[in-house]
């Protein structure tokens, strides 16, 4: 007997404490957030969803967001219309259930309905994250650039995936 998939829902104000905790458990891969910063970012988000009781979440921005991330700005300097995946994380106990793939597929559908044709993201290359590289390539992302950021403490690969036009 298979277990029903946990629901995918928009992030609400009541989810912020759980999202903050999950994000900060993975601060090395993402970045540490304070409650006020998370609240601001969620207010800027193009798409923010969670699965279940925050077993996983994704937060994205479009080109119009007021966001100062060097990665987001790299894409904005090169593309006039895009969706940027700022962070996606799955709790350790929820891994292997397809949550990240579900979040991305729902994002692709949402972005296409909103008229977007490009979804972008970055993956750490130093420290390396080969599992994330492989995951993104399997979803149809292609590497389009890279950068060394945060005063040389981190290097990233930039990826993009085209969405079909209706």
């Amino acid at each position: 007997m298979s277990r029903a998939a946990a629901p995918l829902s928009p992030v609400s104000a009541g989810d912020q404490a759980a999202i903050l905790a999950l994000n900060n458990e993975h601060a090395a891969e993402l970045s540490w957030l304070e409650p006020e910063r998370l609240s601001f970012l969620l207010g800027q988000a193009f798409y923010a969803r969670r699965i279940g009781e925050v077993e996983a979440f994704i937060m994205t921005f479009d080109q119009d967001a007021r966001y100062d991330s060097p990665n987001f700005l790299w894409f904005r300097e090169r593309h006039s219309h895009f969706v940027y995946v700022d962070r996606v994380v799955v709790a350790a106990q929820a891994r292997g259930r397809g949550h990240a793939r579900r979040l991305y597929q729902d994002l692709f559908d949402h972005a296409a309905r909103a008229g977007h044709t490009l979804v972008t993201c970055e993956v750490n290359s130093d420290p390396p994250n080969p599992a994330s590289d492989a995951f993104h390539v399997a979803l149809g992302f292609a590497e389009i650039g890279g950068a060394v950021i945060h005063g040389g403490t981190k290097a990233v690969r930039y990826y993009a995936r085209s969405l079909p036009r209706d």
Side-chain angles (χ1 to χ4, degrees):
M1 184 172 180
S2 67
R3 199 168 94 170
L8 195 150
S9 308
V11 169
S12 69
D15 301 323
Q16 289 190 31
I19 286 174
L20 187 68
L22 182 56
N23 181 89
N24 289 345
E25 285 174 26
H26 299 275
E29 298 87 3
L30 304 170
S31 62
W32 183 268
L33 289 175
E34 296 296 331
E36 300 78 19
R37 180 70 170 165
L38 175 61
S39 183
F40 171 79
L41 292 176
L42 287 170
Q44 292 292 308
F46 166 75
Y47 173 93
R49 300 290 186 273
R50 65 173 168 80
I51 290 182
E53 298 301 315
V54 192
E55 293 175 20
F57 80 93
I58 188 171
M59 182 167 50
T60 75
F61 304 100
D62 69 11
Q63 68 286 335
D64 297 325
R66 292 182 323 172
Y67 190 31
D68 59 358
S69 157
N71 300 314
F72 173 78
L73 295 174
W74 188 93
F75 288 109
R76 190 156 70 190
E77 289 168 1
R78 289 159 178 83
H79 303 283
S80 61
H81 198 69
F82 65 98
V83 174
Y84 167 70
V85 177
D86 183 61
R87 56 197 71 222
V88 59
V89 62
V90 178
Q93 70 274 14
R95 292 202 176 128
R97 297 182 192 165
H99 287 347
R101 186 171 298 278
R102 279 181 62 209
L103 288 167
Y104 267 99
Q105 191 56 59
D106 193 64
L107 167 64
F108 297 152
D109 294 345
H110 181 81
R113 283 192 307 273
H116 285 281
T117 58
L118 188 67
V119 175
T120 65
C121 67
E122 90 279 343
V123 174
N124 291 347
S125 57
D126 186 19
N129 192 340
S132 186
D133 285 326
F135 172 78
H136 285 90
V137 168
L139 284 178
F141 283 87
E143 185 174 344
I144 61 168
V148 176
I149 58 172
H150 303 310
T153 61
K154 185 185 271 191
V156 296
R157 285 186 187 86
Y158 293 124
Y159 286 96
R161 181 187 193 268
S162 295
L163 299 177
R165 293 182 187 269
D166 285 340

